[in-house]
C-alpha cells in the first residue's frame, strides 16, 4: 500500500512539473498577445496633458515613450493570473530592454522570438521541441507527415514523438491503420480513409465493393460487394410481444403496440391479433368501450370509466370502497377543543377552614418575640464564645426563613 501511494505521488509530482513547464510557454505567449493588444489600444493616445505639440517637443514622441510602455505593462496580465504576474515581475527588465533598444529604435525584431525563445527560453520555434529546441521528426516544415502532432512542439519539453491522428500509424504517421486504406500517397504525403462499415477489417478502396472480407452481418455479393443480411428473415428471434427490425449489419427487437398480441411492425394496424380489451376494426386493433356493456360494474353504487384497453369501476360521489363494497363516506367529526385547566373555586365554608388551619400552622407574634428574647439571653450568657453564638445565629436564621418569610 505504501509503495503504491509513493508511486502515485511521484507520478503526480512529475505530471505537475511537466504541466508547469508547458504552461510557462503559454503564459509567455499570453504576455506577447496582450503586449500587441496594448500597442493597438494606445496607438492613437498621447500624454494627456492637453498641449500635445508642446509635450511632443519637450518629452519626445509618445509612441516610443516610457509613459506608453507603463500603460501597456499594466495590462499585460489581463486575466490576473499568478503565473503571468510572476513572469512579468521576474522579466520586467527584459521587457524594458526590448522597448528601449529594439522597439524605440524601430528595429524589426519579433517580440515573441526575442523574449520567449531567445531570452526567457520557455518556448521553441515552430516544429521544434525540448531544452535545445530540436527538430521534430519528419520534414522540418511538415513534421509527422502532417498526419500527427509532435510531442512538446513549440515548448522546452516533450519527446518529439509523433502522436498520430485517427487512421494513421508509424514513427512518422505515414502508414494506414487497419480499417483504413490509402486513398492517395506520394513521396511526402499520404491520405488514409476509413473502410466501409461492411468490411471486417481491411479494404483496398471505398464502398462495400472494396472490402477484402465482409464483416459479421454482411455477405459477399457479386454485384454489390458486401451486402447486408436481413436477420429478420433468417434466424433472428424476438420475445413474445416484440417484432424484429433489421439494421445495417445487425437487427434489434422492438416492443409491439399495446393493442397487439404479436405483430410484424409497430402500430395498431400491424398486429397479428388484438390484445384483450381491443377488437379488430378495419384491419386495426381499436379499444373496446366496456362501459357500454350492461351491468359491467357488479355493484350498482359504482360508476364505469373507460380507459385504453380496459375500464375502471369506482364508487359514486359520497361513497368510499371498503372490502369491494361501496359504503357511505363517514362525516368528519369536529375535533374537541382542549379544555384549559381551571382553578378550583372554594366556598365560604372552605375559606374559613383554610384561614383556621393557617392560624394554627404559623407561630404567633408572641412566640416570635420569645425566640428573639431567648437568643439575646443566650448571647449574654455565652459572651465571647464565638462558636456558640454562630450556631445560635444559624438556628435563628433558619427559623426566620421557615416561619417569618
Amino acid at each position: 500500500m505504501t509503495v503504491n501511494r509513493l508511486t502515485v505521488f511521484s507520478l503526480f509530482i512529475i505530471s505537475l512539473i511537466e504541466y508547469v513547464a508547458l504552461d510557462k510557454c503559454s503564459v509567455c505567449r499570453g504576455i506577447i498577445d496582450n503586449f500587441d493588444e496594448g500597442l493597438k489600444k494606445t496607438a492613437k493616445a498621447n500624454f494627456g496633458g492637453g498641449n500635445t505639440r508642446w509635450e511632443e517637443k519637450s518629452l519626445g514622441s509618445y509612441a516610443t515613450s516610457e509613459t506608453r510602455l507603463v500603460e501597456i505593462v499594466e495590462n499585460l496580465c489581463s486575466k490576473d493570473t499568478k503565473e503571468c504576474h510572476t513572469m512579468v515581475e521576474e522579466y520586467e527588465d527584459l521587457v524594458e530592454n526590448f522597448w528601449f533598444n529594439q522597439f524605440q529604435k524601430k528595429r524589426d525584431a519579433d517580440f515573441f522570438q526575442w523574449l520567449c525563445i531567445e531570452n526567457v527560453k520557455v518556448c521553441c520555434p515552430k516544429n521544434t521541441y525540448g531544452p535545445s529546441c530540436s527538430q521534430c521528426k519528419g520534414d522540418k516544415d511538415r513534421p509527422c507527415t502532417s498526419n500527427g502532432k509532435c510531442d512538446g512542439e513549440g515548448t522546452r519539453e516533450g519527446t518529439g514523438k509523433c502522436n498520430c491522428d485517427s487512421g494513421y500509424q508509424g514513427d512518422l504517421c505515414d502508414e494506414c491503420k487497419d480499417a483504413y486504406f490509402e486513398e492517395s500517397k506520394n513521396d511526402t504525403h499520404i491520405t488514409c480513409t476509413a473502410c466501409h462499415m461492411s468490411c471486417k477489417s481491411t479494404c483496398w478502396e471505398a464502398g462495400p465493393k472494396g472490402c477484402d472480407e465482409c464483416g459479421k452481418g454482411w455477405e459477399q455479393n457479386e454485384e454489390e460487394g458486401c451486402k447486408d443480411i436481413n436477420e429478420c428473415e433468417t434466424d433472428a428471434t424476438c420475445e413474445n410481444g416484440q417484432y424484429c427490425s433489421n439494421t445495417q449489419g445487425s437487427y434489434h427487437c422492438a416492443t409491439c403496440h399495446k393493442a397487439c398480441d404479436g405483430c410484424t411492425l409497430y402500430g395498431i394496424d400491424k398486429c397479428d391479433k388484438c390484445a384483450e380489451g381491443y377488437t379488430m376494426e378495419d384491419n386495426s386493433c381499436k379499444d373496446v368501450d366496456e362501459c357500454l356493456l350492461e351491468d359491467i360494474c357488479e355493484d350498482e353504487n359504482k360508476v364505469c370509466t373507460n380507459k385504453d384497453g380496459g375500464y375502471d369501476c369506482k364508487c359514486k360521489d359520497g361513497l368510499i370502497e371498503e372490502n369491494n363494497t361501496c359504503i357511505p363516506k363517514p362525516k368528519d367529526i369536529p375535533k374537541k377543543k382542549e379544555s384549559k385547566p381551571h382553578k378550583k373555586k372554594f366556598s365560604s365554608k372552605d375559606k374559613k377552614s383554610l384561614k383556621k388551619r393557617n392560624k394554627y400552622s404559623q407561630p404567633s407574634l408572641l412566640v416570635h418575640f420569645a425566640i428573639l428574647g431567648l437568643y439575646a439571653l443566650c448571647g449574654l450568657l455565652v459572651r465571647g464564645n464565638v462558636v456558640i453564638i454562630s450556631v445560635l445565629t444559624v438556628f435563628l436564621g433558619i427559623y426566620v426563613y421557615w416561619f417569618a418569610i
Side-chain angles (χ1 to χ4, degrees):
M1 182 65 72
T2 304
V3 174
N4 291 337
R5 288 179 178 176
L6 183 60
T7 303
V8 172
F9 180 74
S10 300
L11 291 173
F12 171 75
I13 294 299
I14 293 172
S15 301
L16 184 63
I17 292 172
E18 289 180 353
Y19 169 78
V20 171
L22 288 170
D23 192 59
K24 283 184 178 180
C25 183
S26 299
V27 172
C28 197
R29 287 181 183 275
I31 291 173
I32 300 301
D33 292 340
N34 290 332
F35 183 87
D36 293 339
E37 186 67 24
L39 287 176
K40 293 178 182 178
K41 289 182 178 180
T42 58
K44 296 181 180 181
N46 52 50
F47 288 105
N51 192 339
T52 305
R53 183 176 296 178
W54 178 86
E55 289 169 343
E56 293 282 355
K57 183 179 179 181
S58 303
L59 303 176
S61 173
Y62 171 82
T64 56
S65 67
E66 185 175 358
T67 302
R68 186 185 184 190
L69 172 62
V70 171
E71 292 180 11
I72 293 173
V73 170
E74 285 178 351
N75 298 294
L76 285 181
C77 299
S78 57
K79 294 182 179 180
D80 197 29
T81 58
K82 179 182 177 182
E83 293 81 5
C84 178
H85 287 292
T86 301
M87 184 171 287
V88 170
E89 290 176 5
E90 185 175 356
Y91 299 107
E92 187 176 358
D93 292 343
L94 287 176
V95 176
E96 293 178 358
N97 187 328
F98 176 82
W99 181 266
F100 294 115
N101 296 314
Q102 302 292 329
F103 182 80
Q104 197 177 68
K105 296 178 180 180
K106 299 182 179 180
R107 293 177 179 173
D108 189 17
D110 183 282
F111 191 27
F112 172 75
Q113 173 79 22
W114 188 91
L115 182 68
C116 301
I117 297 176
E118 296 177 0
N119 288 283
V120 180
K121 297 183 179 180
V122 290
C123 297
C124 283
K126 186 178 179 181
N127 297 335
T128 62
Y129 74 97
S132 303
C133 294
S134 305
Q135 181 180 318
C136 290
K137 290 185 177 182
D139 186 83
K140 65 178 182 178
D141 296 321
R142 298 172 62 253
C144 304
T145 325
S146 293
N147 295 321
K149 294 178 177 59
C150 172
D151 182 51
E153 189 267 336
T155 73
R156 297 282 172 159
E157 295 295 325
T159 61
K161 180 182 176 181
C162 290
N163 296 319
C164 300
D165 298 335
S166 178
Y168 297 88
Q169 63 182 0
D171 292 341
L172 298 177
C173 303
D174 54 356
E175 301 173 15
C176 294
K177 279 186 174 181
D178 287 347
Y180 290 81
F181 70 96
E182 294 179 3
E183 186 172 348
S184 62
K185 185 176 182 179
N186 54 36
D187 294 338
T188 60
H189 190 72
I190 182 174
T191 301
C192 297
T193 304
C195 295
H196 190 265
M197 62 183 300
S198 62
C199 301
K200 183 177 182 179
S201 58
T202 57
C203 62
W204 54 277
E205 68 174 10
K209 291 184 178 182
C211 301
D212 293 327
E213 187 179 353
C214 296
K216 184 179 179 181
W218 305 81
E219 60 184 357
Q220 190 68 44
N221 181 280
E222 288 187 12
E223 295 181 358
E224 301 179 27
C226 289
K227 183 181 178 181
D228 173 52
I229 298 173
N230 189 346
E231 292 88 352
C232 296
E233 297 177 353
T234 55
D235 57 352
T237 56
C238 293
E239 297 179 359
N240 291 334
Q242 294 183 328
Y243 65 94
C244 179
S245 177
N246 188 56
T247 60
Q248 291 288 297
S250 185
Y251 73 97
H252 77 275
C253 293
T255 303
C256 296
H257 191 280
K258 64 179 182 178
C260 301
D261 182 6
C263 64
T264 54
L265 290 171
Y266 187 81
I268 60 174
D269 59 338
K270 306 298 181 183
C271 303
D272 295 333
K273 58 181 181 179
C274 298
E276 185 178 355
Y278 297 88
T279 184
M280 186 68 73
E281 292 182 15
D282 300 328
N283 295 321
S284 297
C285 289
K286 297 182 179 179
D287 175 54
V288 175
D289 189 351
E290 292 88 352
C291 294
L292 298 177
L293 302 176
E294 189 176 354
D295 298 330
I296 188 67
C297 294
E298 297 178 358
D299 192 333
E300 63 180 2
N301 291 319
K302 290 186 177 181
V303 179
C304 179
T305 303
N306 187 58
K307 63 180 184 179
D308 196 18
Y311 67 96
D312 283 329
C313 286
K314 295 182 178 180
C315 294
K316 296 178 180 178
D317 292 341
L319 303 176
I320 61 171
E321 186 172 344
E322 188 175 295
N323 298 326
N324 296 322
T325 304
C326 294
I327 62 174
K329 186 178 181 181
K331 295 181 179 179
D332 294 333
I333 302 174
K335 293 183 179 180
K336 292 183 179 180
K337 293 183 178 180
E338 294 182 1
S339 57
K340 296 182 178 179
H342 59 278
K343 294 182 179 179
K344 184 177 179 181
K345 294 183 179 180
F346 295 97
S347 63
S348 58
K349 185 177 181 181
D350 292 333
K351 290 179 179 179
K352 289 180 180 179
S353 178
L354 286 171
K355 287 182 178 179
K356 187 176 181 181
R357 189 184 307 169
N358 290 336
K359 179 179 179 182
Y360 290 104
S361 60
Q362 292 287 342
S364 64
L365 187 61
L366 183 62
V367 174
H368 290 322
F369 280 115
I371 293 297
L372 290 174
L374 181 62
Y375 172 76
L377 180 62
C378 291
L380 292 172
L381 294 174
V382 295
R383 185 182 302 171
N385 195 325
V386 179
V387 176
I388 296 176
I389 293 175
S390 299
V391 172
L392 291 173
T393 304
V394 170
F395 278 111
L396 179 62
I398 294 173
Y399 173 83
V400 172
Y401 177 81
W402 189 262
F403 295 107
I405 295 178

